[in-house]
Amino acid sequence: PFREAVTTYRADRDFLWFEANFMIYGVAFMMLAPVVPLFFINELDLDYSQISSARVLIGSLGVALLSPLVGRLMDRMNPVRLTSLSYAMISLFPLTLLLSTWFLPQYPALGAYLAFGVYSIGMAGINMTWNMGSITFAPPGQGGYYQGIHVAMVGIRGLVGPAIGFTVLYLLGYREVFGLAVLIFLTAAGSSVLLGRRMAGDGRLGN
């Protein structure tokens, strides 16, 4: 399977680039996954009711409510352009957490709520393109195969991302983790913009 995936990447360089962008984004996302809960408890001193309100009520419910709108948006755009916007939007999630420690120190829960409000917008787009994006690259009859490769890449960034997050946290601190995540998300966004321009030039994926 690994050799077949490599063969596919060699034959479809646009798909390889698309997957590389998701890998860049995913490393930052996985970096934040173990760090944000620790930040909420150790730095913001939030209780579990506030944390669940931020993560579930605002974050998860927001993604669910926005998904139909994002689906219509992807119909009018294409997955590559939508990922560009979504990566840029999700970069505001760690940025909001970072800025809240400076500008909202007396209202820590508000900073968490604002951050997950931004998160819900970015993740609605990312979830849509994660589930549908790879299929649009696939030749007829190979959608499941392309999606299988796409899903397999999650395991790699799942191994790398949390380790980077914990390392930066214990060597430097929370602010450095958030700052690094912002830069990585923006790198994915910029790379996705370049991919979109290339694909627009050769007419792939339509408008």
Side-chain angles (χ1 to χ4, degrees):
F2 177 76
R3 288 196 300 269
E4 291 178 355
V6 172
T7 300
T8 300
Y9 285 148
R10 286 176 177 172
D12 193 339
R13 295 304 178 95
D14 288 341
F15 179 57
L16 171 60
W17 195 343
F18 180 78
E19 288 297 298
N21 293 337
F22 250 106
M23 183 66 69
I24 295 169
Y25 142 79
V27 167
F29 182 84
M30 294 294 185
M31 279 175 51
L32 295 172
V35 173
V36 170
L38 295 175
F39 176 73
F40 283 169
I41 294 172
N42 298 331
E43 294 295 310
L44 299 187
D45 196 29
L46 301 183
D47 58 40
Y48 290 116
S49 175
Q50 293 170 319
I51 294 173
S52 63
S53 294
R55 296 179 66 96
V56 179
L57 186 61
I58 298 177
S60 298
L61 185 59
V63 170
L65 292 175
L66 290 170
S67 291
L69 176 63
V70 171
R72 292 186 178 184
L73 184 61
M74 191 166 75
D75 286 338
R76 296 185 177 184
M77 304 173 66
N78 62 54
V80 175
R81 287 175 177 162
L82 183 56
T83 52
S84 301
L85 292 175
S86 300
Y87 295 152
M89 179 59 67
I90 201 66
S91 72
L92 299 178
F93 169 57
L95 181 61
T96 302
L97 292 174
L98 178 64
L99 294 178
S100 68
T101 62
W102 294 330
F103 297 107
L104 297 171
Q106 297 179 348
Y107 305 98
L110 179 58
Y113 298 155
L114 290 174
F116 271 93
V118 172
Y119 169 94
S120 67
I121 300 172
M123 285 306 300
I126 290 171
N127 282 350
M128 186 64 64
T129 55
W130 190 91
N131 283 288
M132 303 301 297
S134 64
I135 298 174
T136 64
F137 286 84
Q142 295 191 38
Y145 175 69
Y146 268 58
Q147 184 69 359
I149 296 174
H150 179 64
V151 171
M153 296 298 102
V154 176
I156 298 176
R157 53 185 178 260
L159 290 173
V160 174
I164 296 174
F166 274 126
T167 300
V168 176
L169 173 62
Y170 286 110
L171 291 180
L172 299 173
Y174 291 101
R175 290 185 175 89
E176 287 76 11
V177 175
F178 296 151
L180 179 59
V182 171
L183 292 176
I184 296 175
F185 283 139
L186 290 178
T187 299
S191 180
S192 188
V193 168
L194 294 177
L195 173 59
R197 290 178 178 175
R198 166 176 158 162
M199 295 180 70
D202 60 25
R204 193 171 185 182
L205 289 184
N207 54 348

